Amino acid sequence: ETGVTQSPTHLIKTRGQQVTLRCSSQSGHNTVSWYQQALGQGPQFIFQYYREEENGRGNFPPRFSGLQFPNYSSELNVNALELDDSALYLCASGEGTSLSFEQYFGPGTRLTVT
Amino acid sequence: DQQVKQNSPSLSVQEGRISILNCDYTNSMFDYFLWYKKYPAEGPTFLISISSIKDKNEDGRFTVFLNKSAKHLSLHIVPSQPGDSAVYFCAATRGGADGLTFGKGTHLIIQP
């Protein structure tokens, strides 16, 4: 059973640019969530996808968008990057049932916006 | 408005003793609580969880206690081991598509 993987590990972008981060969910999981973790903070929920549809969203603007593919891999897209978008971006997958709310995290992508 | 609070940024405990990490929450709609452990350069690792209908859940050296009336939960690690040194995050959710709401974390340091 493979865990959650993310790519790339690190990324440096310039303010105003667009970025795409990728995630491969743990085998057997059909929900994927994305979190932003700023330095010294806990992860903050961006959104969740279930069966390729966004079904939950945290307090993030529309320039944060995503996709989930039939094989349950996922992308996070951020447009018009701002300096405050510099953070660790974590992907997490889960079983998507009412009996299990555990989510399993990947190692993250460290995004630096200059 | 921080709905999940971990008021101790760090905690130092001697190896072999009990580590107690605390967490408070404000949202009474939270239905499920989780603890995660995070090492540097890794994602958070799920440790243990508890449903709001229970007051205790145990898994090996880890026990989570939930006091709903006080909106407080705690994680007990007995005995503490050097490999337990990490940042511990408390998280809560209403379930469904709500996502997890995390505290800021407590850095646990196990002293030899």
Side-chain angles (χ1 to χ4, degrees):
Chain A
E1 182 181 278
T2 55
V4 179
T5 59
Q6 292 186 243
S7 62
T9 308
H10 296 91
L11 202 51
I12 299 174
K13 287 286 190 177
T14 304
R15 190 171 49 183
Q17 284 188 315
Q18 178 266 344
V19 69
T20 297
L21 310 182
R22 292 179 173 82
C23 169
S24 181
S25 298
Q26 185 164 318
S27 175
H29 288 176
N30 55 18
T31 71
V32 64
S33 302
W34 285 89
Y35 291 80
Q36 180 195 68
Q37 186 179 13
L39 208 57
Q41 304 293 317
Q44 270 198 292
F45 175 62
I46 303 174
F47 47 56
Q48 176 175 290
Y49 276 77
Y50 173 68
R51 291 186 177 176
E52 302 170 55
E53 301 249 343
E54 182 183 305
N55 69 341
R57 190 173 187 97
N59 190 25
F60 279 80
R63 60 189 185 85
F64 286 78
S65 64
L67 285 172
Q68 184 186 29
F69 300 102
N71 64 355
Y72 301 124
S73 64
S74 169
E75 284 181 359
L76 164 66
N77 299 292
V78 188
N79 292 323
L81 282 167
E82 301 175 359
L83 295 179
D84 283 350
D85 295 333
S86 294
L88 180 68
Y89 287 85
L90 295 160
C91 168
S93 69
E95 293 179 4
T97 73
S98 60
L99 299 178
S100 170
F101 299 112
E102 290 87 17
Q103 296 185 18
Y104 297 86
F105 286 82
T109 294
R110 172 73 61 189
L111 173 65
T112 303
V113 182
T114 61
Chain B
D1 173 35
Q2 224 187 331
Q3 297 186 64
V4 176
K5 297 178 187 177
Q6 294 177 257
N7 291 319
S8 299
S10 67
L11 175 68
S12 186
V13 174
Q14 268 207 305
E15 183 179 353
R17 303 267 184 155
I18 183 171
S19 294
I20 300 176
L21 297 103
N22 293 304
C23 177
D24 297 295
Y25 62 96
T26 57
N27 189 340
S28 56
M29 301 296 288
F30 285 139
D31 212 27
Y32 205 76
F33 303 88
L34 308 92
W35 284 94
Y36 283 83
K37 175 167 89 170
K38 188 178 188 299
Y39 294 120
E42 294 183 13
T45 302
F46 170 71
L47 268 180
I48 191 168
S49 60
I50 188 166
S51 163
S52 60
I53 62 172
K54 296 187 174 182
D55 55 19
K56 178 183 173 181
N57 188 26
E58 200 170 344
D59 184 1
R61 296 188 298 116
F62 302 93
T63 303
V64 56
F65 295 92
L66 175 62
N67 182 334
K68 279 186 67 178
S69 60
K71 293 192 177 71
H72 177 83
L73 65 155
S74 61
L75 174 68
H76 292 211
I77 306 173
V78 182
S80 300
Q81 298 175 353
D84 295 331
S85 293
V87 177
Y88 288 77
F89 289 100
C90 170
T93 181
R94 294 186 297 179
D98 239 28
L100 300 176
T101 301
F102 283 84
K104 289 188 177 183
T106 296
H107 186 193
L108 176 64
I109 301 159
I110 305 302
Q111 307 273 11

